[in-house]
């Protein structure tokens, strides 16, 4: 029996204490929530229903009107109805993720949208309800794995299923998430395949070593850690 590979889900690492503001919160209240909690954005919630998000950038667009050095012409052209509540300030385009999504998928979504956190939501009826938030720090927890646990997963979950009896010739060392593979495999193409698969595991920072295909004598190239 082969070991199952670990696949951390968003629900496993998300923060369930959600810092948020109601839609009627005024400018000062939103600014206070951001500064007190050292966050750059907060979801706007009506109960647990997600309406939008207010960011530092949204506040700055309103705050800049208070510049006494700005020209009269600029004020004359400015919209007199400046947003003063979270509902008026917020953007309704919120990047979300489901709690049963993988952390790798969430990290990919963060990168694609250029955001530092995601609202974790579930659909109830026709509305999206927030059940947590996921930040970059939460995503990075997947790398905090015990070296012995990670080595066991590499050997039993990857090398033995893929290489069968050839797995016994591979030496595996793990130190702080950095994996060193070495040995000579009798069948061509196996070294590169094994290295690539190990590099995709949760918690692997990098793969190094000199795992060789004996027939062609080519060394595997060092592999980066898992990509989202």
């Amino acid at each position: 029996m082969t070991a199952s590979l670990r696949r951390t889900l968003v629900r496993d690492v998300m923060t369930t204490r959600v810092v948020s503001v109601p839609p009627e919160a005024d400018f000062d209240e939103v600014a206070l929530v951001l500064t007190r909690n050292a966050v750059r954005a907060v979801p706007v919630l009506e109960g647990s229903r997600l309406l939008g998000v207010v960011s530092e950038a949204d506040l700055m667009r309103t705050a800049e009107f208070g510049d006494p050095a700005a020209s009269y012409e600029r004020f004359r052209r400015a919209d007199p109805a400046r947003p003063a509540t979270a509902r008026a300030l917020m953007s309704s385009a919120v990047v979300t993720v489901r709690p049963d999504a993988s952390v790798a998928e969430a990290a990919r979504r963060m990168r694609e949208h250029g955001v530092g956190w995601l609202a974790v939501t579930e659909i109830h009826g026709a509305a999206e309800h927030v059940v947590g938030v996921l930040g970059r720090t939460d995503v990075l927890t997947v790398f905090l794995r015990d070296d012995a646990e990670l080595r066991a997963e590499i050997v039993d979950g990857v090398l033995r299923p893929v290489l069968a009896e050839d797995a016994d010739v591979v030496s595996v060392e793990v130190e702080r998430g950095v994996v060193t593979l070495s040995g000579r495999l009798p069948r061509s193409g196996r070294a590169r395949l094994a290295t690539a698969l190990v590099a995709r595991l949760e918690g692997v920072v990098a793969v190094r070593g000199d795992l060789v295909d004996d027939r062609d004598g080519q060394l595997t190239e060092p592999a980066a850690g898992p990509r989202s």
Side-chain angles (χ1 to χ4, degrees), residues 2 9 12 15 20 30 32 51 56 80 85 87 94 97 100 106 110 135 155 163 178 201 208 210 225:
T2 61
L9 303 180
D12 300 325
T15 300
S20 64
V30 176
L32 188 61
L51 302 180
E56 287 177 332
T85 65
R87 187 187 297 275
V94 187
V97 69
D100 57 353
M110 283 183 182
V155 173
L163 303 179
V178 177
L201 291 180
R208 301 171 180 168
D210 57 353

Side-chain angles (χ1 to χ4, degrees), residues 5 15 19 59 66 85 102 115 138 149 152 161 172 175 181 189 209 217-218 222 226:
L5 301 182
T15 300
V19 177
L59 298 188
T85 65
S102 69
V115 296
D138 301 318
E149 173 197 339
V172 181
E175 183 175 358
L181 302 176
Q218 293 180 352

Side-chain angles (χ1 to χ4, degrees), residues 128-187:
E128 238 180 341
H129 292 261
V130 174
V131 295
V133 293
L134 185 78
R136 287 172 176 156
T137 301
D138 301 318
V139 171
L140 292 176
T141 59
V142 302
F143 288 95
L144 303 179
R145 298 191 63 181
D146 178 75
D147 286 341
E149 173 197 339
L150 184 54
R151 184 185 184 281
E153 184 172 319
I154 291 169
V155 173
D156 297 328
V158 176
L159 299 183
R160 292 196 188 284
V162 172
L163 303 179
E165 68 276 5
D166 294 342
D168 294 332
V169 305
V170 180
S171 172
V172 181
E173 297 179 7
V174 182
E175 183 175 358
R176 296 185 178 181
V178 177
V179 180
T180 302
L181 302 176
S182 57
R184 303 184 71 87
L185 293 170
R187 284 179 280 184

Side-chain angles (χ1 to χ4, degrees), residues 183-197:
R184 303 184 71 87
L185 293 170
R187 284 179 280 184
S188 181
R190 293 299 184 92
R192 189 175 299 277
L193 174 62
T195 302
L197 292 175

Side-chain angles (χ1 to χ4, degrees), residues 23-41:
E24 64 274 10
D26 62 25
F27 183 98
D28 288 348
E29 183 180 347
V30 176
L32 188 61
V33 170
L34 289 173
T35 54
R36 276 186 174 174
N37 293 279
V39 294
R40 292 188 173 184

Side-chain angles (χ1 to χ4, degrees), residues 22-92:
E24 64 274 10
D26 62 25
F27 183 98
D28 288 348
E29 183 180 347
V30 176
L32 188 61
V33 170
L34 289 173
T35 54
R36 276 186 174 174
N37 293 279
V39 294
R40 292 188 173 184
V42 287
V44 180
L45 303 183
E46 197 167 53
S48 64
R49 187 165 68 92
L50 179 63
L51 302 180
V53 62
V54 178
S55 68
E56 287 177 332
D58 297 321
L59 298 188
M60 291 302 295
R61 279 191 285 272
T62 296
E64 68 181 2
F65 288 115
D67 181 7
S71 67
Y72 169 77
E73 185 64 21
R74 178 181 172 192
F75 279 103
R76 190 179 66 80
R77 295 195 308 266
D79 181 0
R82 300 175 195 169
T85 65
R87 187 187 297 275
L89 287 160
M90 72 183 188
S91 166
S92 57

